Amino acid sequence: MTRGEVLTWPYGQVRRSTKFGAWGSASRATGGCRCRAAVRGGWPAVTTRGVAERADTNPGLIHYHFGGLPGLHAAIAGRAGDLVINPLVIELLGAVDERAALVTARRLLPAATGDGQTTRLAVELIVGATRDPALGEVLRDQLREARGQIADRVGQLHPDWPPARLTGVATLIAALIDGLMLHHMLDRDLPVGEALAAVEDLLEERT
């Protein structure tokens, strides 16, 4: 198993070995529930031993597969990014047009920020990314991938738009969602509906 596979296998199936039959337990170490629990006390509290205890496996196994604590942190950050980013992006990509995407965002944003565990996970992910360049690289790559997917979807809706415009619009959409989520975390009375309605009005004026 190569170093690259060490960092990516938590997202897929892990082949069991007769010599290391507990590898399946290690793969569960970065699962959704354990991922949330792992960062509950902040990144300094995420240790190889603590994750091994939650996964009911040997600390040496966790250390070996993730290449040490930095690799473990990177894998957990990647899984955390999936849990925070993917649900919104998947729903937005499934919208038939911009107005449907706004309806989706209006429905999902309060629910996403109303989940205390997911909110805490998002906060810890941002904190870790700003303090640790390796974690920042993981989050940066995930955000770039999300923007790329959004740009591809906008391109399907507007095939005549040049690449630069698609990239710009995708960046604005991602920043709008991120900004509204952050503000709503801090202010539950944030007028999310009104903000998205204003965007819809701008769309109407454009057409």
Side-chain angles (χ1 to χ4, degrees):
M1 185 172 288
T2 67
R3 180 59 179 267
E5 289 172 321
V6 167
L7 296 181
T8 56
W9 65 257
Y11 309 106
Q13 294 294 322
V14 179
R15 228 177 252 179
R16 287 184 177 271
S17 164
T18 55
K19 186 176 180 181
F20 298 104
W23 282 8
S25 296
S27 73
R28 294 191 296 270
T30 55
C33 294
R34 286 186 174 86
C35 181
R36 293 184 177 94
V39 298
R40 189 172 297 153
W43 288 103
V46 179
T47 64
T48 301
R49 182 172 298 278
V51 170
E53 289 176 355
R54 292 188 180 93
D56 191 25
T57 192
N58 190 298
L61 183 67
I62 298 294
H63 181 87
Y64 174 78
H65 280 292
F66 291 104
L69 188 59
L72 175 61
H73 279 190
I76 290 178
R79 179 59 179 147
D82 285 343
L83 292 170
V84 173
I85 299 170
N86 281 359
L88 281 170
V89 173
I90 290 172
E91 289 283 350
L92 289 175
L93 294 179
V96 296
D97 56 24
E98 293 95 334
R99 290 167 182 78
L102 288 172
V103 172
T104 298
R106 187 178 301 179
R107 172 174 55 85
L108 290 179
L109 277 173
T113 56
D115 181 346
Q117 287 188 325
T118 301
T119 298
R120 179 62 184 273
L121 193 61
V123 171
E124 292 297 341
L125 184 61
I126 295 172
V127 170
T130 57
R131 292 179 178 174
D132 185 336
L135 300 186
E137 185 175 346
V138 172
L139 181 58
R140 181 202 67 192
D141 290 346
Q142 288 183 310
L143 292 174
R144 285 180 176 177
E145 182 179 357
R147 291 196 301 269
Q149 291 174 332
I150 294 171
D152 289 343
R153 178 60 182 140
V154 175
Q156 293 173 355
L157 297 174
H158 301 280
D160 57 323
W161 284 8
R165 186 174 190 182
L166 297 176
T167 299
V169 170
T171 301
L172 285 173
I173 292 173
L176 172 66
I177 298 298
D178 289 344
L180 285 175
M181 282 189 66
L182 177 60
H183 281 250
H184 197 260
M185 287 178 190
L186 300 173
D187 181 4
R188 296 298 180 186
D189 295 325
L190 184 74
V192 173
E194 289 83 345
L196 295 176
V199 176
E200 188 172 3
D201 288 343
L202 291 175
L203 288 173
E204 293 292 345
E205 290 178 6
R206 188 198 68 184
T207 57

